[in-house]
Amino acid sequence: MEYRKLGKTDLKLSAITYGAFAIGGSMWGGNEKKDSISAIHASLDNGVTSLDTAPFYGLGLSEELIGEAIKGKDRTNIQLLTKFGLVWDGSNQGKGDFFFDAGTEAKSIPVYRYGSKKNIIKEVEESLKRLGTDYIDLLQIHWPDASTPIAETMDALEELIKQGKILAAGVCNYDLAQLKEAEQSISLASNQIPYSMLNRGIEVGVVPYAIENNIGLIAYSPLERGLLTGKYFKEATLKTEDHRNGYFDQFDPKKVKAFLNSIAPLAEYKNVSLAQLVLRWTTLQPGITIVLAGARNAEQAISNAQAINVDINADELTFIKEHLLNL
């Protein structure tokens, strides 16, 4: 595994980091607790020392599963990355900026973006309890909140750093203007942002700014939630309640399939899976510090960790880039 320094902080994170959205179950068609715990253990056993989660993932379940999985392990060898600012519980419901309804036909669960100082302090205490720890390595606002001044949110993060409850502060889904405004109040460790072969918008603006100002970039959805593994063009199917039934609609399936077919021979030549080739490509892109990869069982977790061993030379990077132009 490769370990990379996150921005201006002293944190060293695994280049392939475990993404814990799917094990929360909700929006993913459920989960299997035993498999989820096994996936976390397999990640740790294969050099993935960094685990990224959020209270919203499974409405607390993802953090609880991570807390259970790491119980009794050497905490100094594990980096916990979590978030705040998506609220759904009764005490905060209706506060902040309405985001979407995460419920079902039978039960409505309205979710709000809410980054007030009071809410951040509350959420951190809840996350610490679920994770079974007394500090969080990297705390990130999950989504920008238009109802709260960015300076207020950053002030709360600064206070938590001074208290020792978090080691570093980051943001997620911030555009260039929001990054610049946040940096007026705090030295940001990172910006967690969607980035993949199919979604490269941050290469203009965000990436150059992050490089120039030494802000780490955490790429999420590098496999576009499984689409770039190629399996959904074969036998794999999605459960009715899986959010990817709608998520995949943003992409042109014919173009994506043609692209994957064009790079498949390279994966075959290297005796690796398409997923491993795609993950490794993502870790090699300018400005990208770490890449999040989800796994719902040990087999997937091991495969993700081993992606770091895929050797892609300059000519092969050019080959992939040429085919990206067709997307």
Side-chain angles (χ1 to χ4, degrees):
M1 183 55 63
E2 293 178 9
Y3 300 94
R4 299 177 176 179
K5 188 172 178 290
L6 186 68
K8 298 177 281 288
T9 75
D10 293 327
L11 288 177
K12 280 196 171 182
L13 308 181
S14 51
I16 303 290
T17 287
Y18 183 78
F21 186 7
I23 65 169
S26 59
M27 297 178 64
W28 292 83
N31 78 321
E32 294 291 338
K33 179 179 178 179
K34 182 179 179 181
D35 288 343
S36 299
I37 297 290
S38 295
I40 297 167
H41 286 164
S43 296
L44 294 170
D45 292 343
N46 285 272
V48 174
T49 60
S50 309
L51 311 173
D52 179 88
T53 184
F56 175 69
Y57 301 161
L59 308 184
L61 179 60
S62 177
E63 286 187 328
E64 290 173 357
L65 288 171
I66 287 177
E68 183 174 340
I70 67 172
K71 188 175 182 179
K73 295 186 179 293
D74 185 354
R75 179 69 175 82
T76 60
N77 291 327
I78 299 170
Q79 301 85 48
L80 296 180
L81 290 58
T82 195
K83 309 176 186 77
F84 66 89
L86 288 189
V87 300
W88 67 90
D89 60 273
S91 61
N92 278 322
Q93 210 169 71
K95 295 180 180 179
D97 186 17
F98 178 74
F99 194 13
F100 70 105
D101 193 326
T104 63
E105 291 183 7
K107 182 180 181 182
S108 175
I109 305 178
V111 178
Y112 294 80
R113 292 177 283 207
Y114 190 41
S116 74
K117 185 173 183 177
K118 181 179 179 181
N119 180 63
I120 296 168
I121 303 303
K122 170 182 176 292
E123 284 203 59
V124 165
E125 293 303 321
E126 292 169 346
S127 288
L128 289 171
K129 183 177 180 179
R130 285 191 289 257
L131 291 166
T133 187
D134 57 1
Y135 72 95
I136 293 163
D137 296 86
L138 176 69
L139 183 68
Q140 311 153 91
I141 182 168
H142 205 150
W143 282 89
D145 166 27
S147 73
T148 304
I150 287 177
E152 178 183 337
T153 301
M154 298 305 126
D155 179 62
L157 291 170
E158 192 76 71
E159 185 173 312
L160 287 165
I161 290 174
K162 291 178 181 178
Q163 293 174 356
K165 292 185 177 179
I166 69 173
L167 301 186
V171 297
C172 301
N173 302 297
Y174 266 36
D175 62 23
L176 183 56
Q178 290 162 335
L179 278 177
K180 290 180 177 180
E181 184 175 348
E183 280 272 288
Q184 294 176 13
S185 302
I186 196 172
S187 178
L188 287 176
S190 57
N191 185 17
Q192 184 175 142
I193 203 88
Y195 181 70
S196 75
M197 289 175 165
L198 305 181
N199 183 4
R200 298 165 56 203
I202 64 168
E203 291 177 357
V204 178
V206 171
V207 168
Y209 180 81
I211 292 173
E212 182 180 352
N213 293 276
N214 195 15
I215 298 173
L217 290 178
I218 300 174
Y220 76 80
S221 295
L223 294 172
E224 289 300 353
R225 312 192 186 190
L227 186 63
L228 287 174
T229 66
K231 66 183 181 181
Y232 293 107
F233 293 106
K234 298 177 182 177
E235 74 288 348
T237 57
L238 296 169
K239 293 183 178 180
T240 304
E241 62 271 29
D242 194 312
H243 78 288
R244 290 174 293 177
N245 285 299
Y247 181 85
F248 290 163
D249 289 344
Q250 66 185 292
F251 305 109
D252 184 328
K254 290 183 179 179
K255 285 187 176 181
V256 175
K257 186 176 182 180
F259 169 70
L260 292 177
N261 287 340
S262 70
I263 65 170
L266 179 59
E268 292 169 6
Y269 170 72
K270 293 181 175 296
N271 196 30
V272 299
S273 68
L274 270 172
Q276 289 174 319
L277 181 69
V278 172
L279 283 176
R280 184 53 169 157
W281 175 90
T282 314
T283 69
L284 296 172
Q285 298 313 296
I288 301 300
T289 308
I290 64 172
V291 174
L292 303 187
R296 304 182 77 170
N297 56 54
E299 181 182 6
Q300 291 175 352
I302 294 168
S303 176
N304 290 343
Q306 291 176 345
I308 202 67
N309 300 320
V310 179
D311 178 40
I312 307 177
N313 62 38
D315 289 340
E316 290 163 343
L317 286 171
T318 299
F319 168 80
I320 293 172
K321 186 176 182 180
E322 289 173 348
H323 287 286
L324 284 172
L325 297 176
N326 297 321
L327 286 171

